[in-house]
Amino acid sequence: MTEITVEMIVAAMHAGNLAEAEHLCRDNLNVEPDNSDVLCLLALCFREQGRHEEAVAIFAQLTRLNPDSSLHWNNYINALTAAGDLESAECACRDALRASPDDPNLLDKLGVVLLRRSDPRGARDVLLRAFGKAPESPEIRIHAARACVECRDYRSDDLTQPWRDWLPLEAELQYELADLK
C-alpha cells in the first residue's frame, strides 16, 4: 500500500479534485488521527466544497490541539464567519487574542466581525488598534476606514490617503476601497 503524503493531498486539491483530496485525507487520518497538517487540509477541502459546519468542527479541533497557532485560529474564525456564526467568530477572535494580544491580523478579524455584528464603534476601536500595529497593511487600513465611515469619524480619509500605492489589490479589497472613495 502506498503511503499517502501531504504533497499528494495538496496536488489533488490544486487539480481541483476535492473529493479525491478528501478521500486521501481520510485514509491518512485512519493511520495518524491527530496529524494537524492533514486535518487542516481536510478542513480546507470542506471549506472549498461549502461544507462550512464540517470545516468549523475540524478547525475547532485544531485550535485545541495547537492553541498557539495563529494559522489555525485564523482558519477557525474564517470558517465560523463563512458559516454565518458571527457570535462564535467574535468569541474565537477574543480567545485567540488572549494568546496573541498584539496580533494585527487577529485584531483585524475581530474588527471585521464586529462591523458585521453592527457594532461600528467597537469595530473602529479594534481596527484602529490593528492599524497602530500594522500601519503598512492596506487591508487593515481599508477595514479601519470602513469602521470610521460608519461612525462618522473624520479619520477615514487619512487611512485611505495612500491608496494609489496599494494597487493592484485583491478584488474584494478593491471593491471595498472603491466604495469608500
Side-chain angles (χ1 to χ4, degrees):
M1 181 174 182
T2 305
E3 179 184 348
I4 298 168
T5 65
V6 168
E7 291 77 17
M8 293 167 63
I9 299 166
V10 170
M13 291 176 75
H14 281 299
N17 193 344
L18 297 175
E20 176 65 13
E22 178 182 340
H23 176 74
L24 292 170
C25 286
R26 290 183 187 281
D27 284 351
N28 184 291
L29 290 169
N30 284 333
V31 176
E32 204 176 350
D34 288 335
N35 183 321
S36 292
D37 293 335
V38 176
L39 283 167
C40 186
L41 290 170
L42 179 58
L44 292 172
C45 283
F46 288 150
R47 185 190 72 191
E48 292 303 310
Q49 295 175 68
R51 295 161 59 187
H52 300 296
E53 290 77 18
E54 291 168 282
V56 164
I58 292 173
F59 285 130
Q61 178 183 357
L62 285 166
T63 62
R64 287 189 299 276
L65 290 170
N66 307 284
D68 296 330
S69 170
S70 63
L71 170 70
H72 296 314
W73 279 106
N74 279 301
N75 282 330
Y76 180 44
I77 294 161
N78 289 340
L80 287 166
T81 302
D85 189 351
L86 297 178
E87 183 177 343
S88 294
E90 180 182 345
C91 289
C93 286
R94 294 187 188 285
D95 288 344
L97 282 164
R98 278 192 263 295
S100 301
D102 294 326
D103 184 322
N105 293 317
L106 288 171
L107 289 166
D108 181 54
K109 286 198 182 304
L110 176 58
V112 170
V113 167
L114 290 172
L115 270 175
R116 291 191 58 196
R117 293 199 70 205
S118 301
D119 182 3
R121 283 184 171 70
R124 178 195 58 198
D125 295 346
V126 168
L127 288 164
L128 288 174
R129 186 168 153 222
F131 167 68
K133 304 289 180 191
E136 71 289 345
S137 169
E139 184 173 17
I140 290 172
R141 290 173 81 102
I142 290 168
H143 293 155
R146 165 66 57 217
C148 286
V149 165
E150 301 242 350
C151 294
R152 300 178 196 263
D153 185 319
Y154 68 91
R155 291 176 279 192
S156 62
D157 286 338
D158 293 338
L159 288 163
T160 58
Q161 189 275 327
W163 68 269
R164 287 173 187 82
D165 298 334
W166 305 337
L167 300 177
L169 292 168
E170 294 176 18
E172 187 176 320
L173 277 178
Q174 185 74 40
Y175 295 133
E176 203 167 340
L177 176 62
D179 189 49
L180 289 168
K181 289 297 179 186

